[in-house]
Amino acid sequence: MNHPALSGPVRFFGTCLADAVFPDAGMAAMRILDHLGCSVVYPLEQGCCGQPAYNSGFPEQARTVAMQQVRAFRGEGPIVVPSGSCAGMLKFHYPRLFADHPQYFEVAAFSERVVEYFDFLVNVLDARFEDKGPPVRVTWHSSCHALRETGSTQAAKALLGKLCNVELVELSREFECCGFGGTFSVKRPEVSAAMARDKVEDIRATGAQVVLTADCGCLMNITGTARKLGYDITGMHLAEFIWGRINEK
Amino acid sequence: MKSDSFDFTAALQKALADPQIGGNFRGALDGLRGKRLALFNDAEELASLRATGKALKARVLSRLPELLTQLEANCEKNGIRVHWAETTEQANRIVLSILRECGADMVVKGKSMVSEEMGLNRFLEQNGVEPVETDLGEFIIQLAVEPPSHITAPALHKNKLQVAEIFHRCVPGAPYTENVEELNAIARTTLREKFRTAKAGLSGVNFAIAETGTLVLVENEGNGRMCTHVPPVHIALMGLEKVVEKLDDLPPLMRLLTGSATGQLLSTYVNAITSPRAEGELDGPREVHLVILDNGRSTMFADPELSGALRCLRCGACLNNCPVYVRVGGHAYGSVYPGPIGAVITPQLEGIDNKGDLAGASSLCGACEEVCPVKIPLAGHLRRIRAEGQAAPGEGCVRGAGAKRSLVERLAWTAWAYTETHPRLREYLLRAAALMGDKLPEVGPLKTWTAARTAPRVAPKSLRQRVREEGIRHE
Ligand code: SF4
């Protein structure tokens, strides 16, 4: 990713899932930015990035929602997104979605400003944290879009590596999708469930106490599946985990 | 293959319930994936190779009609007879008439996906000609009376024990053996006799070189070469996208093809056929025919976006890396081309009304695009076909556009867009949902979701509320 120059406030795109289901993750992510000396702004008019409609074959509705975000984030400076999937949508798919539309340049200028959260932390802020937590063994799940679109997985893992009491055990199939895929999980439930079950088994095989990720969609899918299967697996957004490690008493 | 009654959901459920499918595919595909990774271990080199592959094939597409004309002229000059077929029906008839002319009541076949697309075997059988598959994988599934389940490895769904059982049951006089050498020997003995007596052989084409009028075939067993060189007549079948400009384009494309398919630097056999047997030559067929099939490809070609799929080399790497394909296998797709590339081209070849559902068989994770040697944006194509399925009357240009149009879904997305553009309404609805706690009615998507997962709990306070209450700057 290209990194927009840092001057003025950092605008935070919370994602619709963090808003509705994982506000702790969103709050932690903003507190970390604040902790690192950034001036964080949360535009209240924001919402979903539009990816569900876009991927389901409803580009028109996706464009309507996309323009809402473009307007909510008017101004300058970076827009940080704590989700590889939403970041990829905002950064790479918005320009495609508007390729033949009069709003193209406005949208492209918006997309230019988008950075995935951990990519921003590592490559723009050069973040370092003091790990005050007890020793813990964790594993890491990469969302497909963090892995293949924003390329931000490395940054997230690098950050994790800097926490001295945290041991990272890698998944044997990190490259494989957890089966969420937004509406895929309800449109092709049989396949999606099979993928989610395999992911949960892979996580169990690591013997880790916590599975971390940078995508609330995957998190909801993985923990929901684990619970349904009766497994006691803790899942957490990496931002929330880090915030906990910095503030451990 | 006829498809009108195809029930994708049922096919998927059946495949997922079959433990053998999961086991056989995962094992075999892990092997192929590993070999590919081992060969392409230099990321930079791979990136430049893929860029070259994409550029070469894109250039072909930019001048496709011209190159096809050039190919035809040069083939004819070399003594290869060229036939054009707009439909699979026409292609079948052309093949049959060539076979009748040379008096063949049996034809030995090398591996050809286009012949599968044509349903050639059934057509020939109905017309009194016996097709004999000679690629080992194809030989196995022909005995088992099954279609291929993979583009490059047709019998991938069979393990050794299943093959042992099939040979014992279907090859006259074959003993039961699980020894791979012995199994190979059974196939070889059976096929040698066919090669020796066949009046005609048939093959696919991996690359047809316009500049020289050369047909290039890549294979690992040598049986393909038996088909193209032993019988007096050779018929080659190709989709019109297989043409490439010049001989010089071959090395990078070949490297991408074999590397992506099986992780091989080069396949064991590379056949370059430029003419029938010439005066004074000792071997080779007396006649070579090339059948060039359209079957919807020119419609794909006319679409600036979807024409990208015509770059496909049929290497199968997108299948090997697809988390859906690996779990359900090729037969679940109910079409000749399974996996990501199948989900992209089948709805185009057979219509969205028939096969549009296939485009839904992807979480759009992008694993296919990541490995595609010619960088086909498979996820983007799948998205486009999904949108074509929902197109309004008069919109959309893929055959059967609008066939998946659902009023309920359209209304739901429109309502969603309305909510998302009215943040206050959105917040109000979220609060209402939070108050319901775990008493949210499990209907629609939530019901489907909770079949395999616990329901997500809407947080008592949304992020937006907390931003306001906990002193985060907002605007
Ligand atoms: S789409 Fe790409 S990866 Fe898939 S078979 Fe074609 S060339 Fe290979």
Side-chain angles (χ1 to χ4, degrees), chain A residues 11 73-77 113:
Chain A
R11 285 186 176 74
F73 284 84
R74 244 189 299 251
E76 283 171 14
R113 294 162 55 208

Side-chain angles (χ1 to χ4, degrees), chain B residues 206-268:
Chain B
N206 291 99
F207 304 101
I209 299 164
E211 180 193 43
T212 54
T214 306
L215 311 178
V216 179
L217 270 74
V218 178
E219 51 144 348
N220 275 320
E221 295 172 355
N223 288 347
R225 186 174 287 183
M226 294 282 208
C227 296
T228 60
H229 284 58
V230 179
V233 173
H234 167 211
I235 307 169
L237 305 175
M238 68 177 246
L240 51 75
E241 78 281 13
K242 291 287 174 175
V243 64
V244 295
E245 282 181 280
K246 33 190 203 306
L247 212 49
D248 281 350
D249 298 347
L250 218 49
L253 289 173
M254 200 88 96
R255 178 114 195 279
L256 284 167
L257 172 62
T258 59
S260 306
T262 47
Q264 288 171 289
L265 202 50
L266 195 61
S267 58
T268 319

Side-chain angles (χ1 to χ4, degrees), chain B residues 151 312-318 341 372-374 376 378:
Chain B
I151 299 178
C312 179
L313 306 177
R314 303 282 190 265
C315 70
C318 57
I341 187 63
C372 176
V374 285
I376 299 173
L378 291 156

